[in-house]
């Protein structure tokens, strides 16, 4: 079997924000595939993080895709700002508004890859009728809002459901929350193609640890 080429997307939510540019450069040099950017509004989720200005600021620092996870409602008024700021993938929550289909179309119209995110309690069937508009399904394995929370194992079954729904379509399955080398293998085996890791990469904010930590998650995800 071919080796499993899972993508690792460290979340800058756990970076040292006082030296964010260096922290992004460090995960790039440490071999990450994507840079995961968690955007929180204090309304859809009970925390406030960063906005388009920060995306714009880190854009020149790395060539790696910026994987922007919008935990905001309403989302439609801000999609263009994140696209212009340099996001490559823009993911929006199915729970964030009544017009998921329209929001996904808006992302595609801006030339960006479109992702839909499901909170732990939201069934995979929420994406059944928008599946052909998706480049990525992001499955939350914690309730969004904070880094460093415990992984919810039910996410593994949900990855299997996503894989079944996707069939032959070239859609990424990404998992976000509490991911580390203890659950990466089960997630990859279930069909995950990308893993977000915040604290599992950035905890302690010592750049010398990032490469071995990314490798540990990648190695654990090797199922072939
Ligand atoms: C949670 C965020 C996650 C989070 C992951 O709301 O979407 O991306 O930063 O952090 P860890 O890996 O520490 O759970
Ligand atoms: Zn996230």
């Amino acid at each position: 079997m071919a080796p499993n080429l899972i993508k690792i997307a460290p979340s800058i939510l756990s970076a040292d924000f006082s030296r964010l540019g260096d922290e992004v450069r460090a995960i790039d040099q440490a071999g990450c595939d994507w840079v995961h950017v968690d955007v929180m509004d204090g309304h859809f989720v009970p925390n406030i993080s960063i906005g388009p200005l920060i995306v714009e600021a880190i854009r020149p620092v790395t060539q790696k895709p910026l994987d922007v996870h919008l935990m905001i409602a309403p989302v439609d008024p801000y999609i263009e700002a994140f696209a212009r700021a340099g996001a490559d993938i823009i993911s929006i929550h199915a729970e964030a508004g009544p017009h998921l289909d329209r929001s996904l179309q808006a992302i595609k119209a801006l030339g960006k890859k479109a992702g839909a995110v499901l909170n732990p309690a939201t069934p995979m069937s929420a994406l059944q009728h928008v599946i052909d508009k998706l480049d990525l399904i992001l499955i939350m394995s914690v309730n969004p809002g904070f880094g460093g929370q415990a992984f919810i194992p039910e996410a593994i079954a949900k990855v299997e459901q996503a894989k079944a729904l996707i069939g032959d379509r070239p859609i990424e399955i990404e998992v976000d929350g509490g991911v580390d080398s203890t659950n990466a293998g089960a997630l990859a085996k279930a069909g995950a193609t990308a893993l977000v890791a915040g604290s599992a990469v950035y905890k302690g904010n010592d750049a010398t640890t990032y490469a071995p930590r990314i490798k540990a998650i990648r190695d654990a995800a090797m199922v072939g």
Side-chain angles (χ1 to χ4, degrees):
M1 201 192 269
N4 184 300
L5 298 173
I6 202 142
K7 296 178 181 73
I8 308 292
S11 165
I12 60 167
L13 189 64
S14 294
D16 178 346
F17 275 47
S18 72
R19 41 187 193 83
L20 188 56
D22 290 344
E23 289 275 74
V24 171
R25 247 173 245 116
I27 51 164
D28 181 331
Q29 285 163 15
C32 77
D33 297 284
W34 297 343
V35 176
H36 187 80
V37 181
D38 284 310
V39 177
M40 304 177 178
D41 66 352
H43 170 72
F44 180 68
V45 291
N47 196 6
I48 299 177
S49 59
I50 67 180
L53 279 177
I54 302 291
V55 174
E56 195 179 343
I58 64 170
R59 179 65 285 179
V61 169
T62 180
Q63 306 278 351
K64 305 259 168 98
L66 297 182
D67 172 33
V68 176
H69 175 192
L70 299 181
M71 289 163 273
I72 64 176
V75 67
D76 289 3
Y78 302 101
I79 288 171
E80 188 172 353
F82 284 98
R84 290 194 188 286
D88 296 284
I89 306 165
I90 298 179
S91 296
I92 58 176
H93 274 258
E95 308 87 1
H99 302 298
L100 178 63
D101 186 281
R102 177 157 56 206
S103 305
L104 292 169
Q105 288 189 47
I107 297 169
K108 304 289 272 187
L110 289 159
K112 304 299 180 178
K113 291 198 186 303
V117 195
L118 297 180
N119 279 334
T122 305
M124 189 53 59
S125 58
L127 302 184
Q128 189 180 338
H129 299 289
V130 293
I131 191 75
D132 287 313
K133 296 194 173 79
L134 296 179
D135 298 296
L136 178 144
I137 294 175
L138 177 50
I139 295 170
M140 293 309 301
S141 41
V142 298
N143 289 290
F146 304 94
Q149 302 182 81
F151 179 77
I152 299 172
E154 181 65 18
I156 297 167
K158 223 161 163 185
V159 170
E160 289 172 354
Q161 291 178 0
K163 191 178 157 109
L165 178 62
I166 288 168
D168 293 338
R169 298 173 182 90
I171 301 174
E172 303 272 0
I173 303 176
E174 186 175 32
V175 182
D176 185 3
V179 173
D180 59 22
S181 54
T182 68
N183 47 41
L187 290 167
K189 200 168 178 186
T193 61
L195 300 175
V196 178
S199 44
V201 171
Y202 272 119
K203 193 169 185 183
N205 302 112
D206 173 358
T208 66
T209 64
Y210 300 164
R213 286 172 173 180
I214 289 171
K215 183 173 186 304
I217 300 167
R218 208 187 287 287
D219 288 352
M222 288 277 186
V223 290

